[in-house]
Amino acid sequence: MSKIIASAAIRGAHKIAKEAEGILTKAISEKGEDCRVEFPNTGYYMPIIYSMTGMAVEKLSDFKEVMQEIKGLLPPHVNDDLWVPYLGHTLDAGMATLFAEEMIEACKYLIGPNPVDDIWLGAADDIILRERGIQFVDGTAPGFAAIVGAAPNVETAVEIARKLQERSLYVFMSGHNNGTTFSEQLAEGGVQLGWETRLIPFGREITSAIYALGFASRAALSFGGVQAGDFRRNLLYNKNRIFAFVMAMGEVTDEWYATAAGAINYGFPVIADSDIPEILPTGVCTYEHVVSNIPYDQIVEKAVEVRGLKVKITEIPIPVSVSPAFEGERIRKEEMHCEFGGQRTPAFEWLRMRDISEVEDANVEVIGPDSDSLEPGGRLPLGIIVEVAGRKMQPDFEPVLERQIHTFLNEAQGLWHMGQRDINWVRISKGAAKAGFTLEHIGKLLHAKLHDEYSSILDKVQVKIYTDEKQVEELRQQAQAVYTDRDARLAGMQDEDIDTFYSCTLCQSFAPNHVCVVSPERPGLCGAYSWLDCRAAFEITPSGPNQPIAKGSCVDPTIGQWDKVNEFVIKTSGGNIERMSQYSMIADPMTSCGCFECIAAVLPSTGGIMIVNREYSDMTPCGMKFSTLAGTVGGGQQTPGFIGHSKHYICSKKFIHAEGGIQRIVWMPKVLKEEIKDALSERIKEIGFEPEEFLAKIADETTATTEEEVLEFITKNEHPVATLEPMF
Ligand code: SF4
Ligand code: ZN
């Protein structure tokens, strides 16, 4: 343990603690002791302080107690007599620093400067945590690089970020080096920042590094089942599960040392470009604690090696990088070289099974002009036909594999895909076009990815890409007939017609008791798994998360319970859930994990329910926003009166069948109403109402924002819910 580092870290910790004390005093004098403190839309108090100590800071005065904790942790300044040759003091100083920094950032939300400003994002809210944190659990993201400071120039910054993205890592950025920040360097280099591209500009000051460590702590609490105050398990979870490291770029100040010491507590090592003393022996971290003097062109490889990260980079013969990190990248009009579909030109994508003799593996044909013949801003029609063959392939798998086209295309840097079937839309960026990317590479990409992920069922894959308008239109008609057929298969199916449902336990990785029971009339609550998809997925991976459940005999047809389904649920929930209803939100409702598209909640005084979709972030009539509701309902619990569900399920005949179905809906956001209007209108007709009239009786945010207003609105408009039996 280097004495120089210890003294610098301890010096830095004292400075930051002093700063925290100052800002706290100021905040209290401006806002008063009872002023609420929180990071917007989060339910974890101050996440580092809460997870480490169990202290739930709710108002400014609570910080006083935290200040005592900080003082208790702060070691005295180091001098020769006091110096001890182990990490303990430095680690304590690091933890004290993080608490103080969290205090500083929280006070900034109250008295400024606002942490959210310009490109700076500040704290991640709970929706982001759910969406992104899960990727750390399911392996889509191995971890994150916390970059502090700035690269020597824009090109180096862009290069380092690209390498980190290729390894699917998140890049959390904070701090500046003599006024220059890594985030601004990337922005200057034309790189898109934000959660979608995994490049997160937290803040300009070093104190904003706590947003990265706070994120890690919240992940441990919500996905790792760690209890608040159990600092040991929190740190172990992070050390073992989250592959994170700090990359310090530029002059390492005392404050940086202190913050880095905080990160070392989590087992996150520090890799520096500058010549600072190293801490090589392993102990807290998996390998070295601090490694310094690393040249820029090796810094990413070194970090990955030091943290012990194993990543699979598949070499695909196309001129751009491929990684899940590029999935969220958008291509705006100005950045676009050319586009296809999106209601601008005719387009479709269709995956079909062929006889093995009809497919020549790796054959990619572009029939018609390719994208390199286009001027910037150009457009072409696009028909993508993927033909696959394999001894284990079945026609039922076609839609499951076809849906992967979206993911696979988006994983290529500079390629963007939206929609599916004949409403697809593809863009190629200027950057990708400049690198030599053409339509032919879409074929190569699909060939490689399909083999990579579905080798168990596929032996051969060939891709034909059409750009001639007449040909595209003709082939599209054939494809449309197939889409219609596929839909008819599921649309005609009723739960009563079959004796096997399917389970999905994919979400048990973070909600251990949760089981989705998927039936033809009730898809998985994330909206991604229909009964047919689960059946196909089971056949593709028999030992996977989708298992057949023989229904057994019916216990109650109204609420939708079967004896064998209950048995299955008891077993797969580890004995925690005894009964589960397919069609009720009151009697033994299905558990909710965290990825539901919508939440339905009873509004008691109205006798009805409200539905809110994930995209709607404003307050709802039940007094909670989606994020807070999700926190209450999610996690794998049964919560009578609340269910998480897919959008599709709303228009199913079995939608809360036990409670009277869609006639219970008294409120939903306008966008949701619009989105499901067609399918919902069909259902409304089936139950004997006039769709326009019925829809107008359902309140939305423009007509009611509180439960009282909803009640007033539905009474005035004579909503049919008044004719139903009480719900309880
Ligand atoms: Fe599976 Fe349900 Fe999770 Fe969707 S929400 S992935 S269906 S367990
Ligand atoms: Zn889920």
Side-chain angles (χ1 to χ4, degrees):
M1 173 67 207
S2 154
K3 198 192 310 190
I4 308 171
I5 290 199
S7 55
I10 292 168
R11 244 189 345 258
H14 279 277
K15 284 190 206 169
I16 288 172
K18 200 148 170 250
E19 189 186 332
E21 214 166 9
I23 193 168
L24 177 62
T25 314
K26 186 154 178 269
I28 290 179
S29 77
E30 281 181 31
K31 300 279 171 183
E33 286 207 339
D34 292 332
C35 180
R36 262 184 85 76
V37 270
E38 59 182 358
F39 293 126
N41 296 318
T42 66
Y44 293 90
Y45 309 102
M46 297 290 110
I48 301 180
I49 294 168
Y50 181 58
S51 63
M52 293 298 170
T53 67
M55 281 190 235
V57 173
E58 288 177 281
K59 37 192 195 347
L60 279 173
S61 58
D62 296 335
F63 271 143
K64 290 185 177 164
E65 201 184 321
V66 177
M67 205 63 228
Q68 291 313 309
E69 185 82 8
I70 292 174
K71 289 188 171 151
L73 278 170
L74 272 182
H77 285 283
V78 173
N79 59 42
D80 284 343
D81 307 330
L82 257 174
W83 183 69
V84 280
Y86 59 85
L87 264 176
H89 277 2
T90 313
L91 291 178
D92 285 352
M95 203 40 91
T97 304
L98 300 184
F99 294 171
E101 290 180 329
E102 212 166 35
M103 197 184 274
I104 294 170
E105 289 292 319
C107 288
K108 280 201 218 162
Y109 270 99
L110 292 175
I111 59 168
N114 190 342
V116 184
D117 182 32
D118 188 21
I119 61 168
W120 307 110
L121 297 178
D125 66 24
D126 281 353
I127 299 183
I128 292 175
L129 178 80
R130 267 180 200 286
E131 277 174 13
R132 305 285 158 175
I134 182 68
Q135 298 178 342
F136 293 91
V137 183
D138 71 14
T140 353
F144 63 84
I147 293 193
V148 177
N153 53 50
V154 170
E155 295 71 49
T156 310
V158 171
E159 184 59 19
I160 289 174
R162 192 187 55 79
K163 282 193 191 169
L164 292 167
Q165 280 180 304
E166 269 179 18
R167 287 165 172 81
S168 307
L169 291 160
Y170 276 82
V171 181
F172 292 160
M173 298 170 275
S174 59
H176 62 85
N177 182 30
N178 295 319
T180 312
T181 67
F182 198 86
S183 307
E184 286 161 323
Q185 288 180 318
L186 293 184
E188 199 186 322
V191 176
Q192 184 191 325
L193 301 177
W195 285 97
E196 298 77 23
T197 54
R198 306 192 179 192
L199 303 171
I200 324 302
F202 276 131
R204 168 177 290 282
E205 302 305 325
I206 182 68
T207 47
S208 62
I210 52 108
Y211 297 126
L213 297 166
F215 186 87
S217 299
R218 283 158 66 192
L221 294 184
S222 51
F223 304 121
V226 174
Q227 296 300 312
D230 189 348
F231 68 93
R232 212 179 142 267
R233 276 197 57 215
N234 184 356
L235 297 174
L236 273 178
Y237 179 86
N238 274 290
K239 180 186 169 198
N240 296 332
R241 297 289 295 273
I242 312 273
F243 286 91
F245 48 85
V246 179
M247 250 188 206
M249 295 209 233
E251 189 198 332
V252 178
T253 64
D254 290 350
E255 288 86 345
W256 286 22
Y257 274 120
T259 310
I264 292 175
N265 273 294
Y266 286 79
F268 302 160
V270 181
I271 317 318
D273 59 350
S274 61
D275 191 9
I276 58 170
E278 299 198 328
I279 310 179
L280 297 178
T282 71
V284 181
C285 299
T286 307
Y287 299 98
E288 298 88 344
H289 297 302
V290 177
V291 185
S292 63
N293 226 355
I294 307 297
Y296 295 105
D297 58 350
Q298 292 165 28
I299 199 161
V300 172
E301 288 77 7
K302 188 71 194 173
V304 164
E305 173 206 329
V306 168
R307 186 63 181 93
L309 186 64
K310 283 176 200 58
V311 275
K312 176 169 118 190
I313 308 176
T314 22
E315 289 292 342
I316 299 172
I318 62 173
V320 296
S321 306
V322 179
S323 152
F326 298 115
E327 233 184 280
E329 175 193 43
R330 288 180 307 271
I331 299 175
R332 289 192 314 243
K333 215 156 166 222
E334 314 80 74
E335 298 153 359
M336 161 190 112
H337 173 67
C338 55
E339 65 182 332
F340 313 85
Q343 316 302 323
R344 292 158 172 80
T345 62
F348 70 92
E349 58 202 36
W350 175 22
L351 182 140
R352 63 170 163 177
M353 182 183 158
R354 309 241 78 186
D355 187 76
I356 204 134
S357 63
E358 293 170 306
V359 182
E360 184 192 331
D361 188 45
N363 181 32
V364 175
E365 269 177 89
V366 178
I367 303 137
D370 203 333
S371 57
D372 50 2
S373 68
L374 289 170
E375 293 296 320
R379 285 175 187 158
L380 277 175
L382 182 69
I384 302 176
I385 299 185
V386 183
E387 295 180 313
V388 302
R391 264 154 298 155
K392 299 234 177 77
M393 183 64 196
Q394 296 177 22
D396 275 349
F397 302 166
E398 288 175 351
V400 179
L401 301 184
E402 188 180 283
R403 209 167 326 117
Q404 299 299 315
I405 295 177
H406 173 74
T407 313
F408 294 162
L409 259 49
N410 276 321
E411 286 186 2
Q413 190 178 20
L415 189 60
W416 176 85
H417 180 279
M418 216 173 87
Q420 14 80 30
R421 295 186 170 181
D422 55 351
I423 53 163
N424 59 344
W425 183 7
V426 176
R427 279 180 170 175
I428 297 176
S429 75
K430 286 192 173 133
K434 199 162 149 237
F437 189 91
T438 62
L439 288 176
E440 188 195 355
H441 297 114
I442 289 186
K444 293 193 168 158
L445 175 66
L446 289 173
H447 167 260
K449 292 296 286 186
L450 281 165
H451 270 301
D452 192 29
E453 302 210 359
Y454 294 99
S455 55
S456 59
I457 48 170
L458 298 179
D459 297 320
K460 289 175 165 188
V461 179
Q462 71 181 17
V463 184
K464 293 182 186 145
I465 296 174
Y466 298 85
T467 59
D468 172 74
E469 178 143 1
K470 204 158 155 279
Q471 258 179 323
V472 171
E473 274 172 355
E474 275 169 26
L475 291 163
R476 186 170 61 169
Q477 280 186 10
Q478 287 184 37
Q480 280 163 339
V482 174
Y483 304 147
T484 313
D485 262 12
R486 285 185 194 160
D487 289 345
R489 255 187 272 168
L490 188 62
M493 278 177 81
Q494 298 196 343
D495 288 2
E496 292 80 8
D497 302 342
I498 43 119
D499 47 26
T500 306
F501 290 167
Y502 282 88
S503 65
C504 186
T505 49
L506 210 63
C507 289
Q508 289 202 342
S509 53
F510 69 96
N513 300 341
H514 176 69
V515 189
C516 269
V517 175
V518 181
S519 65
E521 293 182 282
R522 182 166 183 183
L525 48 81
C526 58
Y529 286 83
S530 74
W531 182 84
L532 283 174
D533 295 336
C534 288
R535 190 177 66 171
F538 168 66
E539 293 187 40
I540 295 169
T541 325
S543 59
N546 303 106
Q547 293 296 319
I549 315 173
K551 280 154 64 181
S553 44
C554 189
V555 181
D556 183 332
T558 313
I559 58 174
Q561 274 194 22
W562 294 264
D563 60 353
K564 289 282 186 294
V565 175
N566 281 340
E567 268 172 38
F568 183 93
V569 169
I570 296 175
K571 201 170 77 214
T572 32
S573 69
N576 286 297
I577 312 291
E578 285 180 21
R579 285 182 305 273
M580 209 152 85
S581 310
Q582 200 69 352
Y583 316 137
S584 175
M585 64 186 284
I586 309 248
D588 312 320
M590 194 177 287
T591 53
S592 300
C593 46
C595 12
F596 28 74
E597 288 184 299
C598 304
I599 299 173
V602 172
L603 293 177
S605 70
T606 68
I609 62 157
M610 54 155 271
I611 300 177
V612 56
N613 52 314
R614 179 175 294 270
E615 297 84 0
Y616 186 81
S617 56
D618 290 340
M619 188 48 87
T620 75
C622 74
M624 286 185 265
K625 293 180 182 174
F626 182 92
S627 54
T628 320
L629 265 173
T632 317
V633 181
Q637 310 308 312
Q638 285 181 312
T639 322
F642 299 84
I643 44 164
H645 60 85
S646 72
K647 289 178 179 167
H648 199 88
Y649 179 53
I650 305 172
C651 307
S652 158
K653 286 196 182 94
K654 298 291 179 358
F655 177 69
I656 57 163
H657 182 238
E659 285 82 39
I662 56 170
Q663 292 192 62
R664 286 286 175 193
I665 307 173
V666 294
W667 187 92
M668 62 176 144
K670 221 174 156 71
V671 278
L672 179 62
K673 232 199 245 184
E674 270 308 308
E675 192 180 331
I676 60 171
K677 194 170 169 193
D678 292 347
L680 192 57
S681 298
E682 287 301 309
R683 264 306 287 149
I684 296 171
K685 272 190 250 164
E686 279 169 17
I687 58 168
F689 289 90
E690 204 288 308
E692 288 294 334
E693 246 172 60
F694 186 96
L695 286 169
K697 292 179 198 292
I698 301 175
D700 59 39
E701 72 276 20
T702 63
T703 48
T705 52
T706 62
E707 189 166 332
E708 294 76 57
E709 286 171 11
V710 174
L711 180 57
E712 221 171 279
F713 181 87
I714 59 162
T715 315
K716 197 172 81 208
N717 289 282
E718 296 177 352
H719 190 293
V721 74
T723 64
L724 304 180
E725 297 277 303
M727 278 183 96
F728 292 94

